[in-house]
Amino acid sequence: QVQVEESGGGLVQTGGSLSVSCAATGRTAGVLPMGWFRQAPGKEREFVAAIDWSGGRTGYADSVKERFTISRVHAWNTIFLQMKTLKPEDTAVYYCAARTREHDGTWYREVNEYDYWGQGTRVTVSS
């Protein structure tokens, strides 16, 4: 079993910055592709950013490009999401996900491509 746990989050004003982190522990059997998703009230969970197992490849949703940066501790299942120039529309619960099935060395952007999820951490951007 794998446990995924997010930390960070909170309340920030428009234009501010915030970071969230995530660790996958347990029977991970290696370094995992991981990602961040978010879900705003009344909306579906959506892709935010993802990173491959090595940290060499990353992907972002268009809505967060140039503002958010995903990174990981080398060779560890710990990832970070640095968020800058935050907007009210970034308000959501942010979920971390880890993929334990086989992968092809890339990053993944679909909910069903991940196997384990955290409980989420809330990010609120006030206007």
Side-chain angles (χ1 to χ4, degrees):
Q1 192 74 348
V2 174
Q3 295 78 42
V4 178
E5 185 172 4
E6 305 95 342
S7 60
L11 174 64
V12 64
Q13 291 186 332
T14 297
S17 300
L18 201 62
S19 293
V20 291
S21 59
C22 169
T25 59
R27 305 180 74 170
T28 58
V31 185
L32 310 174
M34 299 178 70
W36 288 99
F37 292 74
R38 66 187 182 187
Q39 188 166 15
K43 295 188 176 182
E44 292 188 352
R45 192 168 299 190
E46 64 174 6
F47 170 73
V48 175
I51 192 165
D52 75 340
W53 71 276
S54 72
R57 301 181 189 181
T58 58
Y60 297 90
D62 289 342
S63 60
V64 306
K65 277 182 181 176
E66 310 300 331
R67 300 190 299 122
F68 289 13
T69 302
I70 188 171
S71 60
R72 69 185 307 150
V73 177
H74 178 65
W76 286 79
N77 291 315
T78 299
I79 64 170
F80 307 94
L81 185 68
Q82 294 177 294
M83 301 177 285
K84 300 179 180 179
T85 320
L86 283 160
K87 307 174 182 179
E89 50 264 44
D90 294 318
T91 294
V93 176
Y94 283 69
Y95 295 93
C96 178
R99 177 183 172 104
T100 55
R101 74 189 85 161
E102 287 187 5
H103 61 87
D104 56 5
T106 188
W107 52 272
Y108 300 87
R109 67 182 303 135
E110 301 297 332
V111 170
N112 62 11
E113 292 179 311
Y114 290 90
D115 302 294
Y116 291 91
W117 293 82
Q119 294 297 308
T121 184
R122 187 173 300 277
V123 172
T124 303
V125 184
S126 62
S127 57

